[in-house]
Each structure stands twice: as structure tokens, then as C-alpha cells.
Amino acid sequence: MPARVHAILVVRPDGRTPAAYHLRRTLAALAEQTRPVDVLTLVLCGGDDTLADVAASSGAESVVTAPASTGYAAAVALVSPRLDGDAVWLLAQDTAPERDALARLAGALELAPSVACIAPKLVRWDDRSEIVSLGVGMTRFGRAVGFADGELDQGQHDGRDDVLGADVRGLLVRADAWRQLGGLDPALAGADEGLDLGVRARLAGARVSLAPTAIVATAGDGVAGLPTPLTPQRRRRATFSARVAQLHRRLVYAHAAAVPFLWLSILPLALWRTIIDLVRKEPGSILPEWGGAILVMVRPAAVARSRRRLAGPRRAPWAQLQPLRTTGTELSQRFGDEPDPGPAGAHRRGELRFFAGGGAWLVLAALVVGVAAFPALLAWPVLGGGALQPLRSTVGQLWADAAFGQRALGLDTIGPADPFAAVIAVLGSLSPWEPSRALVVLWVFALPLAALGGWFVSTRVTDRSLLRLAGGALWALAPTFLIALTQGRPTAVIAHVLLPWLFLAGSVAHRSWAGAGAASLLLAAVLAVAPSLAPAFAVVWAASIVLAVVLRGGRGVARLIWAVVPSIVIFAPLVWTTIRRGEAWGLLSDPGMPWAGPQVAADAAGRALLAAGIPTSDLAGWTTFVPADFPTWWVTLLAAPVALLALAAPLTQRWAAGIVLLALTAVGLGTAFAAVGVAVSFEQSIPVAIWAGCGLSLAWLGAVGGALVTLDAGLAPRLAIARGLVAAVVLAAVALLALPSLTALARGTALLTNGPASTLPAYVAAEGRDDPDVGTIVLTPQNVTGLSARVVWGGSETLGGQTTLLSTRSETSADDSVIAELAADLATSSAENVVAELAGHGVGFVLLAPALPPESDAARAMRLSVTTSLDQRDSLDSVGETAKGTLWRVTTEVASRPSVPAAVHVTAGLVAGAQLAVLAAALLLALPTAASRREARRMPRVVGPYWQEGR
């Protein structure tokens, strides 16, 4: 047994519990040792008067003071020159040894002369049945691995003896070995200090052993070793320290020739580990990862000192440590992905029952109804009518429209793309051989996709199979959705299909990074197709933050904040450009082709229709479905059953869920009421109002959810038959309301058409199919008076090529003035050199398009006048009459389209890089892992209180 033991006790008041409390218990434990310490030195790092009084009355031989920022290794080093004994015992304020701990450590050290240091079994401060640490190993790549960390102590590891290293807390080290090894390495940032000391001892020819019967309790305040990760701040600190220690040891232990290459690999490795952290749903580790990497890179002097400390006493080769390294098999056994049942009595999520519960049959039935409602679409290659347009002919052109740069419309319009263009690019990429067919497929599968989303979102509200089926059917038969399908509104259709998935992920975003990642992507997509919902989602998001702070003490706020980050990054270029132009309201306009289609009027009658979920004045098609003299006052009452059930939701036992869903309904209705009649974009000379149907989709989502809550919790379990009857009545009423829309194509009242493949004549389309720089100026007589002019690049106007930078512009730009002058000169036979000027801008075709039907006398006169003027120009060759209008070709040499300045390419690269990085991070967070699935299985699928039994 060592003749004299010198205990070094470091005190630093930076834990959650007052340091004086821990220090008093530790000092009391030292005083009760059966083998008392011979010398006790306290190192007080910072502190206050209370700590100073406790230290003064401790009976220590000396008290050394140091700054509060002093680390454990540096604090111990202050005492090392004055060591008085044969062994040094490393303690901290939160390491309280049991009565016989030192006797067992010293006895084991005496019996093994080859052992340089011996470690106790560390247990929790308040529960000695849980092991904190009992030996530390190291993988081939330098990762520290605790052999028993966090396990219940059943003596299963008491037979382990030789180890590579151990936790520094409670470590007993021979004094001669301590001096030879140079003590602890202060460059390790407080992590792996015991492991590093053990590695150096092994290389010096000594051993590191365990004394499992020597028990030391530790609180994990982080004075010595890593802090217990009880708070986000502690987790970040522990992650940072562990990563600094691992990278530092990697540079110290490596061969001298490999050090430069390892140093160069630190930042690429940090990038790779960032991706891994996102996949593991641990974004909180990213900043500590990069902080640790940068710190290690800028400390070459610390690496050099540590390498000298390692090389000085070294006697053995690295191969001698190989049997002690942790293997991949041991890692799998220690950190495998075995199913975790969780604590006894914990919630176990039930089966989804998609097939057994009828969800698959609902989707199949919706597919049959969709094919029956739109049978002609199966033979159409391109979908037209309403706000529909063809897509680009290649995937590359689709994504070019989604990037910052030259736009496909306007003389030389340069700026950010609408985020809607990216949605169209994704959709078109699903059919790369024929992108326009993707829209046709979307229309055919729209009903089953809506039913699928409605069924899955219903699983967040109820686990009754009947009600889930009702929820899916009600969502697929929503009036605003079917009207959007028959009118040809792609943005409203996509928004309605995506909204339930956004609710599905958003409802659990506060408790899951996977949910937050999926919600962030879905929110960006929904806002891209329906920007008018941005104020509504801002209200919902702010309310979610407040509820997380009030009800959950701030837990989950970081996840909720992330949910809006991709949307902010994606919309930032367009928002910045639009605000600089002073047209911020244009951000709320519907993207895609501006189209002034049928809507309700902005009056009391129109708002009454909106309250019934109907966004058009034709009563969802009923005015064309029944004879003119047939009464239709009862049509709006078909939506009343859903509304009444939704209003009753806050009166049920699940009142909290009912209130939330009712508030969502109110926000959606408020959005629709605010949008109706508000025009922020223009189609030629016609103002285009914002489509109120997207707000109604959001309101319908809340109303259907509220109705399901009432049916689920408002009736006693024994009234299952009544529940089924009420659900059937509600579903029958909504199905009756949907009947005119489902038969609109067969009756010829739908606005959908077969094509066109191009909005320009076939001659231009053929030239512009593979050359997006073919320019055409399109002149359109207006029925009121005057002439509209626009420049189209490529073989057609396309859905993804539209830009709100032009459709929402309320003041003329320099390019607008040039186009207006060109149009005026082309329409005037006396103007000279206008064709040469047109060719100088890269425009090679002139198209005189027909006016919107019915053509007025003013428009007819304008068309004849412009035709006469263009026919008289020698530099224009008449191609002839086409279905798209009269076409002329410029016969003089046509210049190339104006080139893009180099600065635009730089901006485009920066914008694309930032957006892709954020989207990639969101996608990695959204991808499920084994750990996230295990965690999800511990949480109920239904969100909110669930009071009823027998589920």
C-alpha cells in the first residue's frame, strides 16, 4: 500500500447545484475514509465567500486559488510541483468516495507494481445502482468508448481488470508515474483526460487497472470530466469538449508524416459529421462540431507540446495497445439498434391499420372515382385550360426556370425565380421523357392522393378506423378542391394535396426533429404554391411557439423555429427583390399563369358562400347542374353538418384539440375573406384576384378535424352505431355537394382542355423546343381598348416560366417602356426601323394573338389595323394564320439574346448554394432513422389528450 496518498480536490462553482453542497459532502466522505488521505490540497477556481469558508474549515494542508476559467488539468498542474506522497488521488467537488474506496484503491495499487494508475467504479450521486463509468476504451479512429456508462450495476463488469484508460474522477496514480507522464494534458478541453493518461502510461510500459469494489459517487457537474447532459447547454459543452479531445488526440497519436493530412481532413470531416448529425436528428451537435474542429486547427503549438509529452516516456510500440482497443463487434453490442421497449407501463403506439382499417380501399375507391370523373385525361398528353400551361420539354430547362437569372418572359428580365417554379421542376422531373404529362398524371391521381393524405392526417385525430375513412373521404370531396380540379388551378390542387401532410408532420414538430424536418419541407412547398397562406401560417407558427414556451417550458422551440427556416431561405431572394421595388403585396399573388377565373364576389353573398366552403358563385356547379328555375338555396346547407360538428368539438372531453382545430378553421376562413376580391397581379389589362380557395382548404382541414374530434370523443363508446350514422349523414351531404364537380367534365362545363402542347404556333414551338433563346413578341388586342405586348423566350409560355416579377408589376420599368414602344411602332405603319430594333433585342417572331372571347369591336379594329401594318413591312415574312394567331418571321439578321452579366452567375451560384444547403439539411432531418422510429413508437399517434378507454 502506498505510504502516503496526496489527494487533490478541485473546486469550480459552475454546476447547476451550488458547489458548496457538493464540496461539503465530498469533504465529509474524505474524513470518513477507513484509510485516510495523508495530504489534502484544495484548488479553488473562482468561487465566493461561502466556498472560501468551506475550504478554510476543510482541514486541507493548503488551499490554492486560481481563476474561475481554469480547467481541471491546469488546476491539478498547479499542485503537481508540490506533490507530497507516493500516490496522487484526483478528485473534484462532486466526487464523494465511499468509506473504503481509498483503502481498496491503494490496496489494489500495492498488489500490482506494474500498474501506474487504478480507477474506481463511478456511480450516480443520488443513485449508486447506476454506473457512470467503469473503464474507457478507444476505437481504431480514436473514439472514446465507456464500457459500462449508464448501465445498472449488477456486478456484470466487476471481473474486468486491465483497461486502456479510465475516467479521471477518482483516479489513483503513482507519484513517480505521474511525474514521468507529465500529468494531465490541458489541451483536451476537459474530456478524455483519464483515457489519454492511460494511453501514455501503456506506451511507457505500465498498466491501467480497475478496482470495481471501490465506489465513488459523482454528480457530473463537469468540474472534472464531462458534465451530465441534463440541459441543452451541457449537451453542447460535452459535445464540444469530446470532439476537441478526439481530434487533438488523433493529431497527437498519429505518425509525424500523417499529421499534415489529418490536419487538412478536419474541416471536410466536420462537414461529413454535420450530415451525419442531421441524419441522426442531432442538429444541436453541429455548432460544437465546427467549434471543436476550428479550435484544434488553430492550436498547432498545443499539438506539438502534447506530442512531446507522449514521446518522452514512451517505451512500448502502438501495437501493444491493439488488444485493448474497442472493436466494431463490441461497439455493436454496446450501441446496437435493438428494439427498445421503453420503461414498464410506457405508451406503445398501436398498428397503423392502413390495410386492415380500410385505408387502402378508400384510396382505391378514390382512384376509381377520379378515373370516372376525368376519363378523357387518360388519353391527353398535355393538360390545358384555366391557369394550366405546358411545361418545358426537358428537365434541364425546368430547373433553369427555377434558378436565379434570366426569366423566360420579358425583354431582359433578370431576378429570382418564383419558388413555385421549383415545385414544377420537381413535378416535371417525375416524367423526364415528357414533363407536361406529369400534370396529367397529377390530375388523374389527385383524388386518391387527397384521400390518402386525408386518411393519414386523420390518424393524428382519431384511431377509429371508421372515422379515419370519413376524414379521408371528406378531404378528397372538399368543394374547393374539386372546383380547382375542374377549373384548372394547379397551385390550389397541389396545395390541397400537401396540406394534410403538413399538418401530419407539423403537429409533432415540437417533439421530433424528423417531424420538424418534414414539416419545414412541406411548409416551403405549400407556401410556394399558395403564398396567400403565409399570414395564416405565421399566426399558427407564433401560437405554437407561445404554447411550447407556456406548456412545455420551452422544450421543442428550436424545432419549431427550424420549421420556418427553409421557407425563409427559399423566399428570401424574391422577397428582397419585391420589397426593393416597393411591391411587397405582390408576394401574396398566386404563382404560375395569372388567370382571372370564376370566383365569388367580394360582398355579403360571396362571403356567405365562402363560409360554406364554396369559392365560386355558381354554388360549386349546382347552377349549371339543375334547371334555371330550380331552387338552389339549400346547397350551402350541405356543408352545415361538418360545420356543426366542428363547432361542438370544444365541448367534448378533448376540448383542447377541438379549440386548436376550430382556431385553424377560423384562420383559414379569415384568409379566404381577406383574399376575396383583392387583386395584386394582372393578366394583360385585367386585374387578377387572389384565389380564396387555398384559405378555404386550410379552413376545411380544421373543420373536418374538429368534426372527427366530436364524433370520436363526443359520443360514448357504446354509441358506435350512432357515430356511424352521423358520419354517414355528413359524408352523404358532402358527396351530394360534390356531385356537379365530379360530373363537370362529362357535362362539358369543366374548363379543362386537351393541350395545347405550346402557347405559340407550331413553327415557333419547333424552333424553340431545344433553344430557349428564341424570342417572340406577342401582341394581343384588348377588348376595352389598346394593345397588350409581351416577349416570350423559347417554344412556349410555360407554367414554370411564369414570374410574379412581371405579373405583379404596377409601375413600368425600362424594359416595359422598350416593349411598349416596339409594340406601338409595329402597330403603326409609318414607324421605320422598328423590325431592325426588334431583331437587335434577339426577337425573331411577331405573333398577333386573338383577343379574349368575346372579341369586342375595338379589339377587332385593333387586330385589323395591326395586321395591315405588319403585312406592309419588308423585313417581316408572313408565316400565316395559326390556331394561336397570325405569325410573322423577322427576315433580317436576329441578334443573340442579351447575355447575362457575370455578377448574375455569381449571385445565382450563391443563392442556389444557400438554398440547396438548407433544403439538404431539412431533408436529412426528415429522413427517419432506427432511433427516431423507436422514439416515435413511444409517443401516441393521436395528438392531444385522449380520455376515452378501450382504444
Side-chain angles (χ1 to χ4, degrees), residues 612-693:
I614 301 174
T616 54
S617 56
D618 64 350
L619 296 176
W622 273 94
T623 56
T624 61
F625 188 73
V626 297
D629 57 348
F630 195 87
T632 56
W633 57 266
W634 51 270
V635 172
T636 56
L637 299 180
L638 295 175
V642 174
L644 293 176
L645 288 175
L647 289 172
L651 305 178
T652 66
Q653 291 177 315
R654 296 177 60 197
W655 55 269
I659 291 175
V660 170
L661 291 167
L662 196 59
L664 186 66
T665 304
V667 170
L669 285 176
T671 300
F673 288 167
V676 63
V678 176
V680 292
S681 59
F682 303 90
E683 178 192 10
Q684 298 178 21
S685 60
I686 302 173
V688 178
I690 298 174
W691 171 244

Side-chain angles (χ1 to χ4, degrees), residues 432-501:
W433 57 92
E434 200 173 358
S436 292
R437 191 174 290 275
L439 279 178
V440 180
V441 175
L442 172 64
W443 244 251
V444 173
F445 285 93
L447 279 172
L449 286 175
L452 181 67
W455 188 91
F456 267 96
V457 78
S458 298
T459 64
R460 293 293 188 209
V461 181
T462 177
D463 63 359
R464 299 184 189 276
S465 298
L466 174 64
L467 297 185
R468 291 178 177 181
L469 292 174
L474 289 173
W475 183 252
L477 295 176
T480 181
F481 177 54
L482 297 178
I483 290 170
L485 284 173
T486 57
Q487 286 190 359
R489 295 184 180 271
T491 55
V493 170
I494 297 173
H496 193 86
V497 169
L498 292 179
L499 270 175
W501 299 101

Side-chain angles (χ1 to χ4, degrees), residues 74-265:
V76 172
L78 296 175
V79 186
S80 295
R82 296 177 284 178
L83 280 180
D84 181 13
D86 302 305
V88 56
W89 198 15
L90 303 177
L91 301 171
Q93 71 198 30
D94 63 335
T95 51
E98 292 197 349
R99 294 183 69 252
D100 58 352
L102 180 55
R104 294 181 181 276
L105 287 171
L109 194 63
E110 181 184 18
L111 295 176
S114 62
V115 172
C117 47
I118 192 163
K121 179 190 293 183
L122 296 179
V123 297
R124 273 182 51 181
W125 184 268
D126 53 354
D127 183 7
R128 62 162 294 167
S129 66
E130 181 178 329
I131 300 174
V132 172
S133 180
L134 183 61
V136 180
M138 183 175 66
T139 66
R140 177 185 175 188
F141 297 103
R143 173 187 172 186
V145 180
F147 294 127
D149 298 5
E151 296 185 13
L152 292 178
D153 187 9
Q154 298 173 333
Q156 69 271 33
H157 297 288
D158 287 359
R160 187 184 292 271
D161 185 10
D162 272 8
V163 291
L164 187 58
D167 196 297
V168 73
R169 291 169 286 188
L171 199 63
L172 184 65
V173 188
R174 293 187 188 274
D176 54 352
W178 178 265
R179 296 185 182 93
Q180 181 187 19
L181 297 175
L184 303 179
D185 189 349
L188 294 172
D192 300 348
E193 293 167 328
L195 172 62
D196 176 70
L197 184 67
V199 169
R200 288 186 279 127
R202 287 280 180 180
L203 292 176
R207 294 167 50 220
V208 179
S209 185
L210 298 176
T213 57
I215 309 297
V216 175
T218 179
D221 265 358
V223 180
L226 295 176
T228 303
L230 299 177
T231 64
Q233 295 79 7
R234 283 185 159 205
R235 283 193 290 270
R236 288 192 292 269
R237 176 183 164 190
T239 302
F240 171 79
S241 299
R243 191 55 181 158
V244 168
Q246 183 179 359
L247 292 175
H248 180 79
R249 287 188 294 104
R250 184 173 296 171
L251 296 178
V252 172
Y253 297 166
H255 191 279
V259 172
F261 300 100
L262 291 174
W263 185 87
L264 291 173
S265 70

